[in-house]
Amino acid sequence: MATTTWNIDTTHSGIHFSVRHMVIAKVRGSFRKYSGAISLDEQDITKSSVAVTIETASIDSGVEQRDNHLRSPDFFDVEKFPSITFKSTKVEKASGNGLKVTGNLTIRDITREVVLDAEQLGAGKDPWGNVKAAFEAKTSVDRRDFGLTWNQALEAGGVLVGEKIEIAIEVQAVKAQAEQAA
């Protein structure tokens, strides 16, 4: 079987993050605008790949003032760096339905290799005849590796914003129509 293209269905997917705030709490958020595709080889999953582009200005932590600060030059500098990209370089099988997806993550024009712990959750037809597949993935990155270094020391010790960013992704992808008809 040939490799097929699956487009990420952004209405049924999510890219979420969490980071420590003041050492003791977590702030959670997501990116609302992104696009991407999965090139899926169902016979040999290791020949598959994924590419995603995220609009940095679409960051949403639920607090407008914080989101505006995250869009500023202190963090994502969305005017200068309008997107974050991920492009896989290797897919490996792990236990069960697990996968290790290695790829290049680019934030603020700085590219670092990251490994996503992923799981293929299954596939099926929706009521309208579209073939869909679902995946989950998670990883963590040190924001300083991508030039996201702004911080503020706290009087009691520690810093305002943690360095480790936890990333969780839920993806529902729809098989491209041209391949479905073939």
Side-chain angles (χ1 to χ4, degrees):
M1 179 178 210
T3 301
T4 56
T5 299
W6 297 70
N7 296 310
I8 294 175
D9 176 357
T10 57
T11 60
H12 296 103
S13 300
I15 299 174
H16 310 281
F17 64 87
S18 64
V19 62
R20 286 278 173 205
H21 180 255
M22 294 184 57
V23 183
I24 57 174
K26 278 191 178 180
V27 168
R28 300 176 192 283
S30 61
F31 289 93
R32 300 290 180 200
K33 294 183 181 178
Y34 49 91
S35 61
I38 300 166
S39 181
L40 187 61
D41 187 321
E42 294 177 50
Q43 303 296 24
D44 184 356
I45 196 79
T46 66
K47 293 181 181 174
S48 300
S49 63
V50 61
V52 177
T53 299
I54 302 165
E55 293 182 30
T56 52
S58 74
I59 196 165
D60 181 1
S61 70
V63 177
E64 185 177 353
Q65 184 179 3
R66 179 174 46 224
D67 294 343
N68 288 337
H69 190 205
L70 291 169
R71 291 180 188 109
S72 80
D74 283 345
F75 287 96
F76 288 106
D77 197 356
V78 301
E79 296 295 322
K80 190 173 179 184
F81 307 105
S83 63
I84 295 169
T85 61
F86 176 81
K87 182 162 180 35
S88 67
T89 56
K90 178 171 56 172
V91 176
E92 300 171 283
K93 289 183 183 181
S95 63
N97 291 332
L99 303 167
K100 295 279 187 196
V101 181
T102 303
N104 293 320
L105 178 63
T106 302
I107 302 173
R108 293 178 58 111
D109 282 350
I110 298 170
T111 302
R112 299 282 185 257
E113 183 176 87
V114 299
V115 178
L116 301 174
D117 291 315
E119 184 177 0
Q120 186 173 11
L121 301 175
K125 275 192 181 181
D126 69 14
W128 302 273
N130 298 303
V131 179
K132 301 224 175 162
F135 302 86
E136 287 182 342
K138 62 183 177 178
T139 194
S140 62
V141 297
D142 187 323
R143 66 187 180 88
R144 297 169 299 178
D145 291 342
F146 297 93
L148 299 168
T149 58
W150 183 92
N151 222 330
Q152 188 170 348
L154 298 174
E155 185 177 309
V159 291
L160 187 63
V161 182
E163 283 94 22
K164 183 179 178 184
I165 309 295
E166 300 288 340
I167 300 168
I169 305 160
E170 296 91 29
V171 170
Q172 190 174 111
V174 62
K175 194 172 191 179
Q177 292 291 329
E179 276 115 9
Q180 287 188 68

